[in-house]
Amino acid sequence: MKYNCLFKKGQIGKLTLKNRIVMPAMGTSLASSTGEASDRIIKYYEERAKGGCGLIITEITRVDDETGIGTPNQLSVTNTSKIPRLERLARAVHKYDTKIFLQLHHPGRETYSSILNGKQIVAPSPIPCKTIGEVPRELTTKEVEELVKKFVIGAKIAQMAGIDGVELHGAHGYLIGQFLSPLTNKRTDKYGGSFINRMRFITEIILGIRHICGPNFPIITRIDGDEFVEGGITHEETIKMARYLESIGVDAINVSSGTYESAVTIIEPVSYPEGWKRHLAHKIKENVKIPVIACNNIKTPEMAEKLLEEGDCDFIALGRAQLADPEFAKKAMEGREKEIRPCISCLHCIEQVMNLKAIECAVNPRLGYEGEYDHYEKDGNSRVVAIIGGGPAGMEAARVLAIRGFKVVLFEKRGNLGGSVYLGSIPPCKDKLKALVDNMEYQIRKLGVDIRMNCTPTIEDLKKLNPYAIFIAMGGRAIVPELPGIHGDNVLIATDVLEKNMDIRDKKIVVAGSGMTGLETADYLAEKGNKVDVIEMQKEIGPGVYGSVLYDVTTRLKKFGVGLFTQRQLIGVEARKVHMLNTYNGKKVTMEADYLVLALGVSPQVNGFVEDIEKNFKNVKIIGDSEKAGKVYDAIQTGFDKAYSLE
């Protein structure tokens, strides 16, 4: 076997795991509003178990209904009424020889009073989280003691339901971590002050669980290898914590990093490479004898195997990788690595959850809908379906239709597939998007899709195919406002700059529009030594862009000295000048520039060709940006849905 370490059996306490792949806790909001394991969340976890994962750790599971609400629809173990549905969850996972742990959680100061039905959020000390912006109430000593009991009760409920073990969430700045951290714990009672006192809360929880659940019920703790915030937990102190936790009987340490105030180190955006924080777990492993699980932004089985071989950890935590492809483990074990749908680190998953919505994945439209989309009707009977456009929507539709038995002919006007995703892979740090394009192309070629590059079919070409259906996936068209000078040679479209790989250097450039296309085009141009400024007519840079993604790209832009100007409305352009209106004070502003680059978004393709297709053929589906401009998720989801449901 190619991955001998990855698929070697492992041990946590007295529990044997079939391999070294762990699905770490990730919020989903797929549970019922009562906190029970819904059919939807059971099917979600079952699919990862069926896909070969060795250990699944559930999403944040609530132990307290008063101040411990992390998301409205999260798993709960606050009372025994939750046991029957948890039993169903355990059985669904166990039938594939996969083990399951419940992650016990309390958010502390990292939640909102609006989620707590108006109650003030709580914490060890009244120190606000800068990201949340609310001052928490300091818990009394008695309240802390009561919370210890609630964690213990939660563990017992999990055990009664047939769950294999529990994980205590002491990372990411949540309540347990707030007690551990000198930054957030300024208490003067028995739960604050010295190292031992800061460890007392988690110690009492662990000893209580051990007393109630017995010596053979595994307990693991998730801790930060480094909080990456000034005054917080350092790597050196984490090593000390790990050794202490081992001494009181913890069965494994799960190493992560970061808090809400350093969120890019928890769920990394696209610029962070695989294994960037491997040193955190490595040093802890050198100092303890119990197993170490580690989150290291792993996207490939090759890197997972390497970390195990080189002794960085004992188990590989594969989170987003198993959202993108629930069969990650199975495909790796069978040598089908090219078939693994890769995570692109776009953060669409966590953005949905933080907005109190159910989890989604940009590259896996079945995520969270495993029960609804669990069977492909194999009724294509070799009927021809023509797809015009080889972007993400077109390729996903082609994949699904081919699986269903249709004969798919895909036309792409360019010499490469991928559309907007391919263009998005050109700016710096975007190689993960190229991996997605390669994966999608590999899959449709393997399925026998007839791909015709550099080809835009005519109506007559399509008629010769006698298609059962036609899918239009031609993408959107760039928005170009009718302004003075807008059609001059010094005005470029952002997508053209990327597609033609324009080698523009040592120029002054203004990019109009601060969506991701504009910001990434600015990054691309700034890296070539150009002086770049970005203008945005809204009050904030990156309207609609998720905070961690925006922070990541603007941090790079600032290193290049890129100017970011808000409330600047483009009103015209002439040679070496870009004119705009300051919408705050109504004054005209002019910037010197050799080029103006437009990144003002796209609109759906509405042209005579599309109208002719609809006139000549009855069964026409419009997908992706051709239907409605959106993100990668929207394109892949529409391609999947309309191909899956084609009758």
Side-chain angles (χ1 to χ4, degrees), residues 387-395 397 411-412 471-476 605 621-626:
I387 299 177
I388 306 172
M395 285 198 288
F411 297 92
E412 170 52 52
F471 280 60
I472 298 175
M474 297 166 60
Q605 288 273 12
K621 308 291 183 183
I622 301 178
I623 59 177
D625 283 350
S626 290

Side-chain angles (χ1 to χ4, degrees), residues 178-322:
Q178 291 161 30
F179 275 95
L180 299 177
S181 177
L183 178 66
T184 49
N185 186 347
K186 304 296 184 182
R187 300 177 70 91
T188 57
D189 65 357
K190 64 181 180 178
Y191 293 106
S194 67
F195 173 81
I196 292 297
N197 280 2
R198 284 187 282 113
M199 297 294 295
R200 191 181 302 278
F201 182 55
I202 193 171
T203 299
E204 291 180 353
I205 294 170
I206 292 166
L207 296 181
I209 294 172
R210 187 64 75 212
H211 176 71
I212 296 296
C213 297
N216 298 326
F217 187 65
I219 305 169
I220 64 178
T221 57
R222 193 175 204 186
I223 58 174
D224 281 329
D226 195 319
E227 287 194 315
F228 292 111
V229 290
E230 187 175 350
I233 297 170
T234 63
H235 188 35
E236 291 70 24
E237 188 158 19
T238 296
I239 294 169
K240 185 179 178 182
M241 288 179 183
R243 294 172 66 179
Y244 172 85
L245 291 167
E246 180 182 32
S247 74
I248 62 172
V250 164
D251 295 294
I253 302 289
N254 186 354
V255 182
S256 186
S257 65
T259 73
Y260 278 21
E261 293 177 354
S262 54
V264 291
T265 67
I266 302 176
I267 306 174
E268 300 91 339
V270 69
S271 71
Y272 283 67
E274 284 190 279
W276 72 274
K277 55 185 177 184
R278 58 189 294 188
H279 63 286
L280 299 179
H282 186 97
K283 196 67 177 177
I284 291 172
K285 180 171 164 54
E286 287 182 339
N287 281 272
V288 298
K289 295 182 175 62
I290 56 176
V292 172
I293 307 165
C295 295
N296 276 307
N297 195 32
I298 303 304
K299 308 298 182 189
T300 61
E302 292 84 1
M303 179 59 81
E305 181 75 7
K306 181 178 181 181
L307 266 57
L308 292 171
E309 282 181 349
E310 297 180 1
D312 288 312
C313 53
D314 300 289
F315 293 90
I316 301 293
L318 290 173
R320 286 177 288 168
Q322 292 187 91

